[in-house]
Amino acid sequence: MRGFDWDEAKIGLARRAGEGLDVRFHAEDARAALARTEAAADTVLLVDVLHYLPHAAQDELLAWAADLVRPGGRLVVREATKGAGWRSLVTVLVERISRLVRFNLGDATAVRDVRRAYVPILEAKGLSCTVTSCWGSTPFANVLLVATRPR
Ligand SMILES: C[S@@+](CC[C@H](N)C(=O)[O-])C[C@H]1O[C@@H](n2cnc3c(N)ncnc32)[C@H](O)[C@@H]1O
């Protein structure tokens, strides 16, 4: 397992949490990391990262991630979505504040409609997609997109 985040402090926490396990964490821009990764993966996770990038960069990162999924594997994207009413408004507000205070480092707060913006990109890459809400009792507009590559 390999993990990327460009925040050195968070990578430090991940390394401590993963001590003794067969995992590697890298403090690196996810775009650079995925662009030069060639090995196919069973599962690729993009957890709460896309909306920190401008739209064109999101599309590119998503396409790279899809290309890494081997037959029978999957790409799992946990993201905030537009179109979920007041939850979407709360999420954008909290994300703007978290970037402002540098709790989360990002180039943008660009929350999109996950079904409309991401699913067509993944389907064009041959993946079949499901999108389900996963906000539970939280006020956030998070959904889970699971994109599977047929065997
Ligand atoms: C809401 S946090 C999620 C952190 C982690 N993925 C998790 O689920 O706990 C968003 C993270 O995205 C990271 N991030 C934003 N843009 C990035 C980029 N271009 N490359 C790598 N990490 C990025 C931020 O540093 C931040 O830690």
Side-chain angles (χ1 to χ4, degrees):
M1 194 207 113
R2 300 171 66 192
F4 304 94
D5 194 300
W6 62 9
D7 186 328
E8 301 264 1
K10 288 188 181 175
I11 288 298
L13 287 172
R15 285 183 181 140
R16 276 176 38 208
E19 269 171 27
L21 301 175
D22 185 17
V23 295
R24 281 175 288 159
F25 295 104
H26 308 271
E28 191 174 355
D29 188 327
R31 290 166 284 193
L34 286 199
R36 64 173 163 64
T37 301
E38 286 172 7
D42 295 324
T43 303
V44 179
L45 299 164
L46 288 174
V47 181
D48 268 343
V49 69
L50 287 173
H51 67 270
Y52 294 96
L53 301 167
H55 289 191
Q58 292 182 14
D59 295 353
E60 198 173 33
L61 189 62
L62 202 57
W64 280 331
D67 286 341
L68 288 178
V69 177
R70 68 165 52 112
R74 64 199 175 153
L75 166 63
V76 179
V77 181
R78 209 293 285 261
E79 252 312 324
T81 190
K82 268 193 175 169
W86 61 270
R87 280 195 165 81
S88 297
L89 297 177
V90 170
T91 306
V92 169
L93 180 66
V94 171
E95 288 297 339
R96 287 209 173 120
I97 293 169
S98 79
R99 276 185 60 226
L100 197 67
V101 300
R102 299 184 62 76
F103 177 69
N104 287 320
L105 308 179
D107 285 345
T109 304
V111 175
R112 298 159 83 186
D113 184 312
V114 166
R115 276 193 183 81
R116 288 187 189 169
Y118 301 150
V119 168
I121 294 172
L122 298 176
E123 288 180 342
K125 290 277 182 188
L127 305 181
S128 57
C129 301
T130 61
V131 180
T132 49
S133 63
C134 62
W135 50 67
S137 56
T138 76
F140 303 116
N142 291 319
V143 294
L144 194 68
L145 163 55
V146 180
T148 309
R149 185 176 298 290
R151 284 183 192 282

